[in-house]
Amino acid sequence: MSLIEQIDKDYIVAYKAKDDVKKTVLRHLKTAIKNRIVELKGDALSDDEVLDLVAKQIKQRKDSIEQYNAAGRPELAEIEAVEIEALSGYMPEQLSEEEVAAAVDKAIADIGASSMQDMGKVMKAITEAYKGQVDGKVVSNLVRARLS
């Protein structure tokens, strides 16, 4: 079953179960998918493209949490955290911090990176190899620490 079919199925289940949070999150995700299909003038998206959209939705919510916490609105940050939890089920298993560190070290060695000028190459290699399995901020911090 494709990821889009799974999202549609889960949306129907959430709708019938009156799970307002999951229903709303999936409705926004379905809208983002349809908008992307229209933008590309295509018939459907691949699972990788859908994963990119899910990751983008999660990133937007993480940014919102930071902003809500900075503004002193923890109740709104909590809602965003619940929405992230609902979306995370569609992402592949995240790598542990040790696995990410090992991947960064391997990518630096494979590319032969020696300075901050090579950071983009290392980041690209890691994000392509571990699509959806790593947090970009964590990888960025590790790469920056290793190359500086």
Side-chain angles (χ1 to χ4, degrees), residues 5 13-14 26 33 35 48 50 55 71 97 103-104 112-113 121 128 133:
E5 292 170 342
V13 169
L26 293 178
I33 290 168
N35 287 340
D48 283 342
V50 175
E97 205 169 307
V104 167
K121 294 176 189 173
E128 286 178 359
Q133 296 179 304

Side-chain angles (χ1 to χ4, degrees), residues 13-70:
V13 169
Y15 190 83
K16 288 179 179 177
K18 295 184 179 14
D19 183 352
D20 291 334
V21 173
K22 190 159 189 172
K23 181 175 67 173
T24 302
V25 167
L26 293 178
R27 185 181 299 134
H28 287 293
L29 181 57
K30 286 170 55 93
T31 301
I33 290 168
K34 286 181 182 174
N35 287 340
R36 186 70 177 154
I37 290 171
V38 168
E39 184 180 308
L40 296 175
K41 298 178 182 159
D43 297 338
L45 297 179
S46 68
D47 281 354
D48 283 342
E49 291 170 318
V50 175
L51 277 179
D52 287 341
L53 289 174
V54 173
K56 185 177 179 181
Q57 297 266 322
I58 290 173
K59 183 179 183 310
Q60 287 173 346
R61 284 170 173 79
K62 285 181 180 178
D63 292 343
S64 294
I65 287 173
E66 288 177 18
Q67 292 175 3
Y68 287 143
N69 286 332

Side-chain angles (χ1 to χ4, degrees), residues 71-88:
R73 300 292 306 267
E75 70 280 0
L76 295 175
E78 196 173 304
I79 292 169
E80 296 290 333
V82 171
E83 291 178 356
I84 288 173
E85 195 68 32
L87 286 169
S88 295

Side-chain angles (χ1 to χ4, degrees), residues 67-117:
Q67 292 175 3
Y68 287 143
N69 286 332
R73 300 292 306 267
E75 70 280 0
L76 295 175
E78 196 173 304
I79 292 169
E80 296 290 333
V82 171
E83 291 178 356
I84 288 173
E85 195 68 32
L87 286 169
S88 295
Y90 300 103
M91 295 297 290
E93 188 71 30
Q94 296 292 304
L95 296 180
S96 69
E97 205 169 307
E98 296 82 25
E99 292 171 322
V100 173
V104 167
D105 292 338
K106 182 180 181 312
I108 288 173
D110 290 348
I111 293 172
S114 59
S115 68
M116 288 298 292
Q117 292 177 339

